[in-house]
Amino acid sequence: MTARAFASSADLAQKEQTLELLAEGVYALTAEGDPNVGAIEGEDFLVAFEALATPVAAREWLVRLRQHTDKPVRYLVLSHYHAVRVLGASAFDAQVIVTHEQTRRLITERGQQDWDSEFGRMPRLFKEPGSIPGLTHPDVTFTDTLTIPLGGERGDLVLRYCGRGHTAGDIVAWLPRHRILFAGDLVEAQAALYTGDAFHRDWSTTTLDAVGALGAEQLVGGRGAVAKSAGAVAAAIAQTRGFLTTMLAEVGAVKARGGTLKEAFDATHAALYDQFGRWPIFEHCLPFDVSRLWDELSGVDWPRIWTAERDREVWDQLQSDGQG
Ligand SMILES: [Zn+2]
């Protein structure tokens, strides 16, 4: 048997980045399943959404953005605490870094372990890792809603907490005037879900209900293509929910009959494979996803901290006899 390469450590092929203008002054950069980022113009400032994994990676995005606008970045909004979304923050020279209050807590509690873990799982995303000056900490946090008036006739950018989901502290950025939603990792379009820090039951029910209730007509998910119609948005949300409810059904059934974690992994893999198996990071994520859901269904409410060591243990237990 050939061992499957750990997580995304063997994924070294560069992805094509595409900058899209979703409305006047509203930008999304997608990257064939790598983490997406965005930016929204105010009258005399910019709001950047997500920061990528390193300042060098973030600067490449800013070079693309600077072909369209030279406004300074006043706010850098980070949807959640994961290293590949936040450690490039210093490149933006933002006046204010904004997160949910729970994201502040998670960075303090486990930011360093998450950095080490994600670097091991996805080394390609950490372009020139030595350029990271340290952990990214927010300047401003909120618990429910934070509204940023964009000035002039531009309307508001509304930052919203929709409930526990991909992490305890995900937020979305909503432009009601354009009905455009930056959903972070709460919604993925044609990329597998990472649920290693997730709250599957909340996410698959009330949290996605709240995301859907916004009525977006364009949606930028955490990874994958932009959904560009109300129907495409609904499909992306439904597909995300389906991934979660399939996991809940499969892991729940194995648990109910007294089976093992490995059996839960194999059953979940089989149930998801036809629809999701060829999408980015499916094999990478699934051992961590099933491990977390197993904990959640065992009564572990607050996710255990992933460390580089624990990553390898879970991988060896669940994925090492891989078909690759
Ligand atoms: Zn994430």
Side-chain angles (χ1 to χ4, degrees), residues 80 82 85 166-167 185 194:
H80 64 287
H82 282 148
R85 308 272 166 188
H166 172 72
T167 71
D185 276 332
Y194 176 65

Side-chain angles (χ1 to χ4, degrees), residues 50 79-85 118 166-167 170 184-186 188 194 197 223:
E50 313 284 44
S79 72
H80 64 287
Y81 86 99
H82 282 148
V84 298
R85 308 272 166 188
E118 294 199 44
H166 172 72
T167 71
D170 303 89
D185 276 332
L186 285 177
E188 309 292 0
Y194 176 65
D197 293 318
R223 294 170 179 258

Side-chain angles (χ1 to χ4, degrees), residues 24-312:
E24 197 204 324
V26 183
Y27 306 89
L29 188 77
T30 61
E32 299 185 317
D34 275 359
N36 295 333
V37 294
I40 300 102
E41 282 188 46
E43 274 300 277
D44 56 358
F45 65 91
L46 281 173
V47 181
F49 187 78
E50 313 284 44
L52 296 173
T54 69
V56 167
R59 256 174 233 125
E60 291 178 1
W61 149 232
L62 287 167
V63 165
R64 304 272 311 254
L65 185 60
R66 290 307 180 208
Q67 293 168 359
H68 300 268
T69 170
D70 60 2
K71 295 172 184 174
V73 177
R74 186 177 297 168
Y75 301 96
L76 171 61
V77 176
L78 303 172
S79 72
H80 64 287
Y81 86 99
H82 282 148
V84 298
R85 308 272 166 188
V86 305
L87 292 179
S90 63
F92 293 81
D93 289 320
Q95 281 182 33
V96 182
I97 297 175
V98 184
T99 73
H100 190 267
E101 178 59 29
Q102 290 287 7
T103 294
R104 182 206 295 276
R105 171 184 173 188
L106 287 161
I107 289 169
T108 302
E109 180 197 50
R110 62 182 70 194
Q112 185 62 52
Q113 290 97 324
D114 180 67
W115 178 350
D116 298 340
S117 161
E118 294 199 44
F119 181 72
R121 292 177 184 186
M122 300 171 275
R124 178 175 55 78
L125 297 182
F126 286 78
K127 200 168 261 186
E128 298 189 32
S131 64
I132 302 169
L135 290 175
T136 299
H137 295 281
D139 304 302
V140 169
T141 64
F142 66 97
T143 56
D144 185 25
T145 301
L146 189 151
T147 298
I148 298 173
L150 296 171
E153 302 295 307
R154 293 172 185 270
D156 291 333
L157 177 68
V158 183
L159 307 181
R160 283 276 291 270
Y161 180 63
C162 294
R164 305 195 300 181
H166 172 72
T167 71
D170 303 89
I171 57 174
V172 301
W174 170 233
L175 285 159
R177 205 185 136 199
H178 296 298
R179 308 201 77 75
I180 296 172
L181 183 67
F182 291 87
D185 276 332
L186 285 177
V187 181
E188 309 292 0
Q190 302 187 349
L193 270 60
Y194 176 65
T195 73
D197 293 318
F199 298 82
H200 296 74
R201 289 172 294 198
D202 291 1
W203 188 1
S204 63
T205 55
T206 49
T207 301
L208 281 179
D209 288 347
V211 172
L214 292 169
E217 292 172 0
Q218 295 189 77
L219 182 148
V220 185
R223 294 170 179 258
V226 179
K228 290 192 171 166
S229 67
V233 170
I237 292 171
Q239 170 195 291
T240 300
R241 200 192 300 267
F243 193 104
L244 294 166
T245 54
T246 299
M247 284 187 69
L248 281 159
E250 296 297 330
V251 176
V254 172
K255 230 173 175 312
R257 64 168 168 80
T260 65
L261 175 62
K262 173 65 172 160
E263 287 164 358
F265 174 80
D266 290 341
T268 307
H269 190 284
L272 290 172
Y273 191 81
D274 282 350
Q275 190 180 355
F276 301 98
R278 282 163 191 84
W279 287 356
I281 68 172
F282 175 79
E283 298 292 353
H284 157 171
C285 290
L286 205 62
F288 310 121
D289 292 0
V290 172
S291 178
R292 165 55 191 156
L293 179 53
W294 187 267
D295 279 358
E296 189 183 350
L297 296 181
S298 306
V300 179
D301 184 61
W302 193 246
R304 284 196 280 158
I305 295 174
W306 290 104
T307 63
E309 296 72 31
R310 188 174 158 232
D311 283 3
R312 295 281 178 172

